[in-house]
Amino acid sequence: MQTKKIELLETYLSLYIDHATVLDNTGKEDSPYVVLDVRNAPAHIKKDQIKGAKAIPARDLTNHLDELDKSKTYVVYDWTAGTTLGKTALLILLSNDFKAYELGCALEGWKGMNLPIETIE
Amino acid sequence: MQTKKIELLETYLSLYIDHATVLDNTGKEDSPYVVLDVRNAPAHIKKDQIKGAKAIPARDLTNHLDELDKSKTYVVYDWTAGTTLGKTALLILLSNDFKAYELGCALEGWKGMNLPIETIE
Amino acid sequence: MQTKKIELLETYLSLYIDHATVLDNTGKEDSPYVVLDVRNAPAHIKKDQIKGAKAIPARDLTNHLDELDKSKTYVVYDWTAGTTLGKTALLILLSNDFKAYELGCALEGWKGMNLPIETIE
């Protein structure tokens, strides 16, 4: 059972990227990361997002794959950690040969740490 | 690692059902879905629940399996996404050959989207 | 798929310990459990913790393994359920042959149930 636990933890954790790695690259011209806000809610509910994020709702992601760049690494996030929307988006991206991670802290954690956000018009 | 990630995501996501599918069948005479509130808290703490849900606390579920109907699909939920209580209930149901899913948004998400709830007396 | 689901649930749930087991042993001289607060935040952000917990931030855990006791069972927790920090700590502990679990309810659930906490000076 110990081996199974370790295997599950390793695979599970390999799905995630931490905020520090993303933050270190924010605003850099040649950043390998593109942050994707995959929340399905309309803009007036979302109100704000991670600074510089590109909004593609998880439910529309399959139709927007041709706008994405295979040389980039996509970092998806939902409202909170533990929801399934980020994993749905991640599965679509990985299955289509994109490099992608889920943001470990989600939007809630990002805002809780006072990291840069921006208002959505 | 990519294959392992995709496999984990596929299996993990297959545990869940989304609110829209459940909502579309709410109140229908012949709905295949029965929503189970598996929170262990007493009624005065729970206060309200998803409209039409049947309350069977996860810790009592094993003793109530004979009240369930194998032709139905059970949708379990806990307070929030990411807790283990829904998965505990799900494991009991699946291990006993019931069709079952966890509600992806949990009660928190359901209420956050203003979907129908009811007060618990 | 049913078998895969059950296997995943079994392994996933085996990572967790519930609050009741931990609580029953709190303050006992010969308790097999040691609760580890693995939050990375500084003390003034954390403010309080589970009563009797030992604080070792997840990012420092690898450097503190020689302070831990292989005869004990470690119970790690983060702010909320569903984050990855507890799992990161858990992976370090299990990979180094410690007995360890994540606290299912996390700090949020522990406080929500009014279980004993203590202020951090």
Side-chain angles (χ1 to χ4, degrees), chain A residues 50-108:
Chain A
I50 289 182
K51 196 165 181 331
K54 186 178 165 77
I56 307 183
R59 68 166 161 239
D60 301 331
L61 185 55
T62 304
N63 298 324
H64 288 270
L65 292 176
D66 55 359
E67 299 164 22
L68 304 184
D69 176 352
K70 289 225 161 136
S71 74
K72 297 292 186 184
T73 296
Y74 289 90
V75 176
V76 303
Y77 72 85
D78 188 15
W79 294 98
T80 61
T83 63
T84 57
L85 208 58
K87 289 182 185 60
T88 300
L90 199 51
L91 179 56
I92 294 168
L93 291 169
L94 294 177
S95 301
N96 285 281
D97 289 321
F98 287 94
K99 287 174 296 231
Y101 295 95
E102 186 169 355
L103 181 66
C105 60
L107 181 59
E108 183 183 51

